[in-house]
């Protein structure tokens, strides 16, 4: 599985959009980009995933660059409850595991 | 719909002992994966079970073993516990082995080895 690089931490003001970047420059054509988050003392929670097109669901939007070497997770209106560690993961099409890095600690502040 | 549950919540063992952790998968899910999360790190894949058979294993020694039962619940067994086995153990279930299916995680079991 390709390696991902994320900033160690980010701050965001409550109500503003949180934009979390991820670099995956060695991604292969059959690898998907997944985002999970882990709120303190809980198990990771799935957010969104995509292959090459931008994706949106009720939680977030995922923007993948045309060359697929990087992506951005967007939380459109961050709340205090969005404070968590956010993991960007690339995963092969028939992969059976998630390979987590260190993730980005997002702190949403009022 | 009941989510993924794990038991116990916390556990304290001493070096050399054996431990069994349990996981009940979400209703309708036939695939269970186990992860180890050391303090301050991301979860690390231990192994996955699909229809009672191991379906992939991470870089963990044989003293980490598992089972999946006909109702798709699962156990993680660790023999000869070491201090470095202290971690949060997470179980995740999914509707199938396909990567299209998101993995739903339980709250974890916090294991402390003294």
């Amino acid at each position: 599985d390709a390696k991902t690089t994320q900033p160690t931490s980010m701050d965001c003001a409550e109500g503003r959009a949180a934009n979390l970047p991820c670099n995956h420059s060695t991604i292969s054509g059959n690898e998907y980009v997944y985002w999970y988050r882990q709120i303190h003392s809980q198990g990771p929670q799935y957010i969104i995933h995509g292959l090459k097109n931008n994706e949106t669901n009720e939680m977030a939007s995922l923007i993948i660059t045309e060359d697929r070497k990087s992506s951005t997770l967007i939380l459109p209106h961050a709340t205090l409850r969005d404070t968590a560690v956010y993991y960007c993961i690339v995963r092969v099409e028939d992969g059976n595991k998630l390979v987590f890095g260190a993730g980005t600690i997002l702190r949403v502040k009022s | 719909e009941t989510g993924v549950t794990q038991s116990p919540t916390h556990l304290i063992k001493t070096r050399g002992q054996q431990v069994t952790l349990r996981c009940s998968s979400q209703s309708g899910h036939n695939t269970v994966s186990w992860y180890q999360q050391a303090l301050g790190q991301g979860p690390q894949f231990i192994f996955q079970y699909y229809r009672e058979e191991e379906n992939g294993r991470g870089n963990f020694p044989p003293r980490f073993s598992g089972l999946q039962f006909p109702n798709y619940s699962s156990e993680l067994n660790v023999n000869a516990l070491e201090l470095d086995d202290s971690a949060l153990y997470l179980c995740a279930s999914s509707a199938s082995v396909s990567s299209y299916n998101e993995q739903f995680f339980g709250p974890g079991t916090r294991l402390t080895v003294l």
Side-chain angles (χ1 to χ4, degrees), chain B residues 40-113:
Chain B
Q41 299 181 23
Q44 302 297 308
F45 176 74
I46 303 174
F47 43 55
Q48 182 184 80
Y49 278 83
Y50 170 62
R51 292 186 175 179
E52 303 178 58
E53 297 287 334
E54 187 177 289
N55 181 53
R57 187 180 184 93
N59 189 26
F60 281 81
R63 61 189 184 82
F64 285 77
S65 63
L67 280 174
Q68 187 178 33
F69 300 99
N71 67 355
Y72 303 129
S73 66
S74 178
E75 286 183 356
L76 165 65
N77 298 290
V78 187
N79 293 322
L81 283 167
E82 301 176 0
L83 296 179
D84 286 348
D85 295 333
S86 294
L88 179 68
Y89 288 85
L90 295 159
C91 163
S93 75
S94 53
S96 80
V97 294
S98 166
S99 67
Y100 298 106
N101 292 285
E102 63 181 277
Q103 294 190 9
F104 292 82
F105 284 82
T109 293
R110 173 73 61 186
L111 173 65
T112 302
V113 182

Side-chain angles (χ1 to χ4, degrees), chain A residues 6-13 17-22 35 72-73 82-86 103-109:
Chain A
Q6 297 178 253
T8 302
S9 65
M10 295 180 63
D11 290 339
C12 177
N19 297 283
L20 292 93
C22 179
W35 284 84
T72 301
L73 178 74
D82 291 322
T83 293
V85 180
Y86 286 78
T104 295
I105 300 171
L106 175 68
R107 299 185 189 90
V108 180
K109 300 183 176 181

Side-chain angles (χ1 to χ4, degrees), chain B residues 23-35:
Chain B
C23 171
S24 291
S25 59
Q26 185 163 314
S27 177
H29 288 186
N30 59 19
T31 304
V32 173
S33 304
W34 286 91
Y35 293 81

